[in-house]
Amino acid sequence: QERSVSQLNEKLKPLEGRCFVKNEGFWSFELCHAAGIRQFHGVEGTKNRQRQKPVHVQEHLLGKFVGLQDPEGVGGEEVTHEYAGGSHCVEIDALRTAKAVYSCGEGAEVIESVNE
């Protein structure tokens, strides 16, 4: 059964102000819900309030939140957020962009996969 975008976004409200990190080998990706996505490579740094804080060696902003993608086509249990205006990508001479696809499911709130 299709759900409205507002209903699905309502389910995402608990994620507001939260960031999630996924390590994919050399690169790690950080998604801050409805704020921004960045790609970074870092090493462990100094203690910061009882937890390790990474010292960023190389970093690319993949984009800042600009809105929903094709809200008319949203169905089922997925919502796609668009991110644009990221760092300049030399290889394609354009600003980086990204998408985050949120889906409902059982279990922890995690970044399931990253595709470049």
Side-chain angles (χ1 to χ4, degrees):
Q1 173 181 3
E2 272 194 29
R3 295 185 179 208
S4 72
V5 172
S6 61
Q7 286 175 315
L8 293 172
N9 275 325
E10 189 64 33
K11 288 186 170 236
L12 297 176
K13 282 217 181 271
L15 301 180
E16 288 180 4
R18 296 185 59 194
C19 296
F20 302 89
V21 175
K22 177 150 180 93
N23 181 281
E24 290 283 314
F26 183 82
W27 291 108
S28 291
F29 297 85
E30 180 182 62
L31 166 65
C32 293
H33 175 69
I37 300 177
R38 68 189 180 97
Q39 172 184 17
F40 65 93
H41 171 70
V43 295
E44 290 299 316
T46 59
K47 292 270 185 187
N48 180 14
R49 296 186 187 176
Q50 306 301 328
R51 63 179 233 219
Q52 293 285 6
K53 181 178 180 184
V55 175
H56 302 299
V57 173
Q58 189 175 6
E59 174 177 56
H60 301 290
L61 176 64
L62 300 183
K64 294 181 180 178
F65 181 65
V66 293
L68 298 172
Q69 177 189 21
D70 188 19
E72 300 82 29
V74 173
E77 294 288 326
E78 289 188 350
V79 174
T80 301
H81 284 189
E82 285 190 358
Y83 295 79
S87 305
H88 181 260
C89 179
V90 175
E91 290 85 359
I92 62 171
D93 193 26
L95 297 180
R96 298 172 194 268
T97 62
K99 294 179 186 176
V101 179
Y102 293 87
S103 62
C104 298
E106 298 296 320
E109 299 161 341
V110 298
I111 298 175
E112 190 172 292
S113 64
V114 175
N115 298 312
E116 288 188 79

